[in-house]
Amino acid sequence: MAPTSFQEPTDTHNHDHLVKSTDSQHPANLICTLCEKFYHLGWVAGTGGGTSIRDNDLVYLAPSGVQKELMKPEDIYVLSIAQQKDPKNRIYLRAPPSLKPSQCTPLFMAAFTKRNAGCCIHTHSQWAVLVTLLLETRPLNTNIFEINNIEQIKGFGKGFQKQGNLGYHDTLRIPVIENTPHEEDLTESLETAMDEYPDTYAVLVRRHGLYVWGETVHKAKTQAESLDYLFQLAVEMKKLGIPWLSDIA
Amino acid sequence: MAPTSFQEPTDTHNHDHLVKSTDSQHPANLICTLCEKFYHLGWVAGTGGGTSIRDNDLVYLAPSGVQKELMKPEDIYVLSIAQQKDPKNRIYLRAPPSLKPSQCTPLFMAAFTKRNAGCCIHTHSQWAVLVTLLLETRPLNTNIFEINNIEQIKGFGKGFQKQGNLGYHDTLRIPVIENTPHEEDLTESLETAMDEYPDTYAVLVRRHGLYVWGETVHKAKTQAESLDYLFQLAVEMKKLGIPWLSDIA
Amino acid sequence: MAPTSFQEPTDTHNHDHLVKSTDSQHPANLICTLCEKFYHLGWVAGTGGGTSIRDNDLVYLAPSGVQKELMKPEDIYVLSIAQQKDPKNRIYLRAPPSLKPSQCTPLFMAAFTKRNAGCCIHTHSQWAVLVTLLLETRPLNTNIFEINNIEQIKGFGKGFQKQGNLGYHDTLRIPVIENTPHEEDLTESLETAMDEYPDTYAVLVRRHGLYVWGETVHKAKTQAESLDYLFQLAVEMKKLGIPWLSDIA
Amino acid sequence: MAPTSFQEPTDTHNHDHLVKSTDSQHPANLICTLCEKFYHLGWVAGTGGGTSIRDNDLVYLAPSGVQKELMKPEDIYVLSIAQQKDPKNRIYLRAPPSLKPSQCTPLFMAAFTKRNAGCCIHTHSQWAVLVTLLLETRPLNTNIFEINNIEQIKGFGKGFQKQGNLGYHDTLRIPVIENTPHEEDLTESLETAMDEYPDTYAVLVRRHGLYVWGETVHKAKTQAESLDYLFQLAVEMKKLGIPWLSDIA
């Protein structure tokens, strides 16, 4: 989507200092490192997917339509949450010349504002897509992915503002929302899913991929890895006739 | 195929300056970088596949029969589109000693001359081959791959000289042509497929692989990645009994 | 698990010299190199899994909850086997600030004390998990993985204090124990499995992963690779209807 | 196998000059580079597999039981073909201290002496093993892998001392021999298979892996890649119900 109406920063230097740092842990550097890693995991093929990091009031965003393994800190957008009065008219503190903001922006913002997330990752992982396709198949036809009694489930927090992680016997539940032609139009159903599943750290988008977040970059990234592990396992379980839910005491 | 009749460049220095550059974005450097990446994606195993970039009138080509992950800029062929009067007698501005031009050359040229492409990629991806094998199976037995309602479809342009990309509900259609013993003999049916599908950016070759192009290196590469993603997904969907076309409104 | 009661080392420098070395073969360096390799093999996604090395009396351990491909030598715990009088109250010679000891610690210790292992590796490999799921399925429902007549079986030692390796016709047997909500609670059943299968170098944990060890880092690592190879092969054999045991003379 | 009777080189410097070179194309360097690449392709997990290069009379061999991705030039064995009078008593020009010669040695030597190969590669690739398992299944139960009408077949030479490569419609035939408990005992049946299939560049070993060679390192490596590609494709074709042989004119 073209940035129909965002205000140019008035600063003549385009606030490059917001994305220039020699610290590998600076959000602008970290987004590039993460996106290159995600490329090699097959999560962001063909410019799909993206990553955003929040540092207090500032949000750093990968742009639209770039090769994710080649991204550079100067490609990063920065906005201030406090300054966003009108969701139709986003104000960027820093916008790279000749790039476009990501259509994922309002979805990342939902994770930051509704859940106080520190990082949100969007993947087009084929395992995520296949899980949503399997759930769509009759007689299942459901909008929730559920799995239990797999150790990797312990890689997820119990939920927003709750202490500790899920246990081995707990059922991990990830809601599935239907895809829309324009990615921004997912925002409402994503927010609804977040309201209906107040403890979830992720939402699957049917035939599209995954949004997953965490309080920190560490948690968002490791929860993304754990979910992808579970999705791949679930697809293989399906091929082998093994159910995703079981009755182990 | 041995270069039965190509004219040696008369320049004693063999026009090495055409492939020597310290700029990582120079076509001769870029072909090497891309081919190494494609090797790790499994697209060019055993010297299969190839990549060509056009820069205005000049076309840069990977040679025949080299290990694609080890290629060097000095291995690159260069020709001028304007100087090609006779397709049976290609004139190279620069030909590396002791290598052979690629049999893919006339197929790459079709993308450059008929579609004004800036880059054309040929892969032997197993997912592409498996898709053509599945399409060959009765009762399907068809020469067109079709898929819709998958987000990654948005990674493709609407077509030659058209603005914008396909939408989520659009059906992506990739024609399939039959393989021939000599790769150059594919040229006619590739051009026919390009004529019959004037908006396609790719042609599958049955039991062989894929030709995919784009206006720029960026677009050719990201369309190649998106197609491979869709072919792999399609094979997995087939294993799980999920149809490639669906009726989502 | 939080370190409910471990004694802080009294040394003000926190015994950093125990994990600082320019020798790439020092256990603290080697654990980091191995864990990064295991991350790329998919064995330790999302902070899962771990590795521990014993050097005479000293045991080096990866901490809990870290991204395994990013680990640094200063993240490593060190304890002395001789000083461990009370399993409920582990004494660390060196503990990194702001990290937690791994819940795997008592399981690694079992390999070191009962089998005199020099290294123990814990993976969440999906192939290991799928094998335990297939074994759980009726009518199999068993707690032992068995395979024979595959060359890679020769990658395993005959057993504790025995000379030489398994032969091609030998049946490799890996016991499976049931998972528990708290990883430390696996210790008793792991030790029981080690007693019941005195020659095994590995124990599968149902719906969880694998513990595998060896007299040396080399042996633990290569046995881990060989087992993962066999688990993946076994899953593919199952998909293709090929039995794991055969009667070849 | 322990080196029961090989004669120590008398040279006090152990002929280290035979494996020390700053040239990346020197056989001792090249074996290490290739083996690291093969490790990442999954061909030599857990010390399995190996590679040998012949340079005129000299044969360079990877040792037994080492981690193939960590191998160094000083680990390489060297022998002279001319000096091998007694196959039971191999004479090494250079033997690394504290390592063992590979059991694959007589099989590599068969490729060098019977086919004048310049390089021979042994893999434990799971795709190769699965193909031999599928061929063993009734009603197939055969000792020959056959596939035709796949482009990648053109990656193989027509045969020993013949010009040119196989064509697209040609049937690639790879004989399968039965595995033996001791790798050296494969030598006779490997040589028989080479005699029965005088044009083959490879022999599959049932439930074990592959031996593949070529006139040069380039040809051995690219033929190994093409074969592995075809084995993986064949396994996927089997899963999808697509036959390996077809009647395309």
Side-chain angles (χ1 to χ4, degrees), chain B residues 39-40 42 44-48 65-67 69-70 103 124-127 129-130 133-134 136-137 178-183 206-209 235-236 238-239, chain D residues 34 37 41 148-152 154-155 167-169 217-219 221-223 225-226 228-233 236-237 239-246 248:
Chain B
Y39 176 80
H40 293 291
V44 294
T47 84
V66 298
Q67 297 177 55
E69 82 278 20
L70 301 181
Q103 283 205 43
H124 285 196
S125 162
Q126 298 194 331
W127 307 112
V129 173
L130 286 168
L133 288 167
L134 285 168
E136 190 184 45
T137 306
E178 303 306 319
N179 199 28
T180 52
H182 298 289
E183 196 145 9
R206 186 103 63 201
R207 296 169 168 274
H208 180 156
V235 171
E236 293 298 311
K238 185 78 182 176
K239 285 183 191 167
Chain D
L34 288 169
K37 193 170 285 192
L41 293 170
N148 67 3
N149 293 315
I150 300 291
E151 178 71 8
Q152 197 76 27
K154 291 162 68 176
Y168 168 61
H169 293 314
V217 172
H218 171 92
K219 288 191 182 172
K221 186 246 189 191
T222 58
Q223 293 192 147
E225 285 177 3
S226 291
D228 207 55
Y229 171 103
L230 288 168
F231 293 151
Q232 181 173 1
L233 190 73
E236 292 299 310
M237 287 169 80
K239 285 183 191 168
L240 294 162
I242 299 163
W244 297 345
L245 291 172
S246 58
I248 299 167

Side-chain angles (χ1 to χ4, degrees), chain A residues 39 45-47 65 67 69-70 124 126 129-130 133-134 136 179 181 183 206-208 235 238-239, chain B residues 37 148-152 154 168-169 218 221-222 225-226 229 232-233 236-237 240 242 246 248:
Chain A
Y39 175 80
T47 83
Q67 296 177 54
E69 81 278 21
L70 301 181
H124 284 196
Q126 299 194 329
V129 172
L130 286 169
L133 288 166
L134 286 169
E136 191 184 44
N179 199 27
E183 195 145 9
R206 185 104 61 201
R207 295 170 169 275
H208 179 156
V235 171
K238 186 77 181 178
K239 285 184 193 167
Chain B
K37 195 171 284 192
N148 67 3
N149 293 313
I150 299 291
E151 178 71 8
Q152 197 75 28
K154 291 163 67 176
Y168 168 61
H169 293 314
H218 172 92
K221 186 243 189 193
T222 58
E225 286 176 2
S226 290
Y229 171 102
Q232 181 173 4
L233 191 71
E236 293 298 311
M237 287 169 80
L240 294 162
I242 299 163
S246 59
I248 299 166

Side-chain angles (χ1 to χ4, degrees), chain C residues 152-207:
Chain C
Q152 197 76 27
I153 290 168
K154 292 162 67 174
F156 294 87
K158 276 189 182 161
F160 183 46
Q161 295 178 332
K162 291 183 178 174
Q163 292 294 317
N165 276 26
L166 290 181
Y168 168 61
H169 292 314
D170 289 337
T171 298
L172 175 72
R173 290 190 173 82
I174 309 290
V176 184
I177 61 174
E178 303 305 319
N179 199 27
T180 53
H182 299 288
E183 194 145 8
E184 295 208 335
D185 297 339
L186 287 172
T187 312
E188 193 179 321
S189 58
L190 183 93
E191 292 181 344
T192 304
M194 291 169 84
D195 291 340
E196 287 179 2
Y197 295 87
D199 288 332
T200 193
Y201 283 98
V203 174
L204 280 160
V205 186
R206 185 102 63 199
R207 295 168 169 276

Side-chain angles (χ1 to χ4, degrees), chain A residues 161-218:
Chain A
Q161 295 179 330
K162 291 184 179 173
Q163 293 294 317
N165 276 26
L166 290 180
Y168 167 62
H169 293 314
D170 289 335
T171 298
L172 175 72
R173 289 189 174 82
I174 309 290
V176 184
I177 61 174
E178 303 306 319
N179 199 27
T180 53
H182 299 288
E183 195 145 9
E184 295 208 335
D185 297 339
L186 288 172
T187 312
E188 193 180 320
S189 59
L190 183 93
E191 291 181 344
T192 304
M194 290 169 84
D195 291 340
E196 287 179 3
Y197 295 87
D199 289 332
T200 194
Y201 283 100
V203 174
L204 280 160
V205 186
R206 185 104 61 201
R207 295 170 169 275
H208 179 156
L210 176 76
Y211 281 87
V212 52
W213 58 86
E215 287 87 354
T216 60
V217 172
H218 171 94

Side-chain angles (χ1 to χ4, degrees), chain A residues 37 41 148-152 154 168-169 218 221-222 225-226 228-230 232-233 236-237 239-240 242 246 248, chain C residues 39 45-47 65-67 69-70 124-126 129-130 133-134 136-137 179 181 183 206-208 235 238-239:
Chain A
K37 194 172 284 193
L41 293 171
N148 67 3
N149 293 315
I150 300 290
E151 178 72 9
Q152 196 76 26
K154 292 162 68 175
Y168 167 62
H169 293 314
H218 171 94
K221 186 244 188 192
T222 58
E225 286 176 0
S226 290
D228 207 56
Y229 172 103
L230 288 168
Q232 181 173 3
L233 191 71
E236 293 297 311
M237 287 168 81
K239 285 184 193 167
L240 295 163
I242 299 162
S246 58
I248 299 166
Chain C
Y39 175 81
T47 84
V66 297
Q67 295 176 56
E69 82 277 22
L70 302 180
H124 284 196
S125 163
Q126 297 194 331
V129 172
L130 285 169
L133 288 166
L134 285 169
E136 191 185 44
T137 307
N179 199 27
E183 194 145 8
R206 185 102 63 199
R207 295 168 169 276
H208 179 154
V235 171
K238 187 77 183 177
K239 285 183 192 168

